[in-house]
Amino acid sequence: RRLKAIGVRYVFDILSGQILATVEALEAYGIRFVLVSHEMSAAFMSDVVGRLTGVSGVALATLGPGATNLTTEVGDAFLDRSPCLIVTGQVPSGQFGRRVQMHVDHQQLFRPLTKGSFLLAPGRILETLDRAVRLALAEPPGPVHLDLLEDFAVASATEKRTAPCRPLREERVRLRELPGAVRALGRTRRPVAALGLGAARSGLGRSIRRFLERHRIPYVTTMMGKGVIPDGHPLCIGVVGRARYRWVQDFLKDADLVLGIGYDTVEIGYEDWMPDVPLIHLDREPADADSRVRVAAELTGDHGTALDALNAAGRGRTAWDLEAIRRFRVRLAKSLRPTSRRFHPHQVVDLLRAWLPASGILTCDVGAHTHIVAAQWPVPRSGMLLVSNGWSSMGFSIPAAIAARLVCPGRQVVACLGDGGYLMMVGEINTAVRLRLPVVFVVFRDRYLSLIRVKQTRRHFAWSGVQLYGDGYRASDTLFGAPVVVAESETAFRAAFAQALIADGPVVIEAVVDPAEYDEIV
């Protein structure tokens, strides 16, 4: 009842004896249980539900191996700042703490990967659950673990029903460093803003845009910061730490200050790309930077209040040449699209963007293709590109796309992934088939773990352990009932993708691409 009251609609996992009663209760109260192929996917899906809806997603698992299978994706939710509840079944209370079959200390297991880990006990279920939900949603959001002993799961509820507790209040901004921030910003001629994951979560895209436009401050983003301001804006320089990242860093040499707005170093540290200039850090958390970064001021707390305070200071327009920024963006875009007779990853990305509606959602896996998507894929607003960048876990995009289509049934959803992520999560194609979800899964098939191959080449190492398929590999015509289409050219891909978008179920497109461009631009 409490989960239903706070807006939970789906719970993800694989059934087992210790959680049967819980699943029975969920279904009885109208919360849909979604069977997955692996517990890894359950946490990814609950992560994405939390990102897209603002309501904590819920993953459920049995004790022992079920719980340990969740841990990679719980870490993903922790570092990618996604609110979710991780509920694990446990042995009966009489066996708790003993050395018995499948039993480990779940709280010790999950404590480093979550914002908190609690035991659900009779008489304190509502109190503990409300505490967990508040903690999961509080900034920065993240996963909270709940452990449920088998006999407690079937005990009669004795608590009086109460209204769900209110979320934690937003922390007020600390403005004691505002004078220093105003002075530092006022002394600059070419400040640059850096927009990150916190800005994307804030919902203040319009306010941030007005602030930057008023003062003519150009900006860079992290991958998860894309869409705070629609890509293609005249003030946008590019993405830090991704394809042609050195080009972006070279352009920033003219900057004389960096203004981090909602910048979360969990994606990439300031010191990894910033020129040697002062930093003003505006976020809910203090700046996490090494001694090389000169922090001029920190404004911690609500982004909107801090922006208003800086706006009121009334600094003038900067000396940046917008035409120079435009020329840089044109040169960068051209360099990402080398001319070739072969079918390249950049062509797949451009074709996807041309065909996917503006409201469509792209989920992107980890690998060499991620660099191209980050630099090349225009994002109209936050939440339209879903990636794992704080945790950077392969296997993210397939379960992420399934969850996105469940909670956003009116939107087109496309997953793009490399061979490695595909092989990790290929079993979840069956989940999409069973749920009859029309998701398009686009696999960049180049036969290698290409990002690792590039790194081996640059360090003059042999290519070892990176070839994924033998010479006799042939794609199947169907996969668990989903059609599989092989596209070896732009023309073939156009035809395959056009058909996939109007299909009434999932479709897999294996785009056979030449990975040579990765060696140059990654």
Side-chain angles (χ1 to χ4, degrees), residues 372-444:
I372 294 178
V373 171
Q376 188 176 320
W377 183 269
V379 180
R381 64 180 184 276
S382 299
M384 311 305 286
L385 173 63
L386 301 177
V387 297
S388 169
N389 203 31
W391 190 251
S392 293
S393 179
M394 287 175 64
F396 171 82
S397 67
I398 289 179
I402 292 171
R405 187 71 198 208
L406 273 174
V407 298
C408 303
R411 296 185 183 178
Q412 294 279 5
V413 178
V414 175
C416 67
L417 58 154
D419 303 286
Y422 182 49
L423 292 174
M424 278 187 177
M425 288 293 180
V426 70
E428 296 306 338
I429 303 295
N430 181 64
T431 304
V433 171
R434 191 180 66 250
L435 298 176
R436 298 180 180 177
L437 296 175
V439 176
V440 185
F441 301 98
V442 177
V443 183
F444 291 72

Side-chain angles (χ1 to χ4, degrees), residues 169-187:
R169 291 184 178 180
E170 181 70 66
E171 180 187 353
R172 293 184 61 83
V173 67
R174 296 170 60 189
L175 294 177
R176 65 185 182 189
E177 294 194 31
L178 179 61
V182 171
R183 285 194 301 270
L185 191 59
R187 287 193 295 262

Side-chain angles (χ1 to χ4, degrees), residues 202-214:
S202 71
L204 295 172
R206 290 183 180 180
S207 298
I208 295 171
R209 178 175 179 171
R210 284 195 298 267
F211 173 80
L212 299 182
E213 287 176 342
R214 176 184 177 187

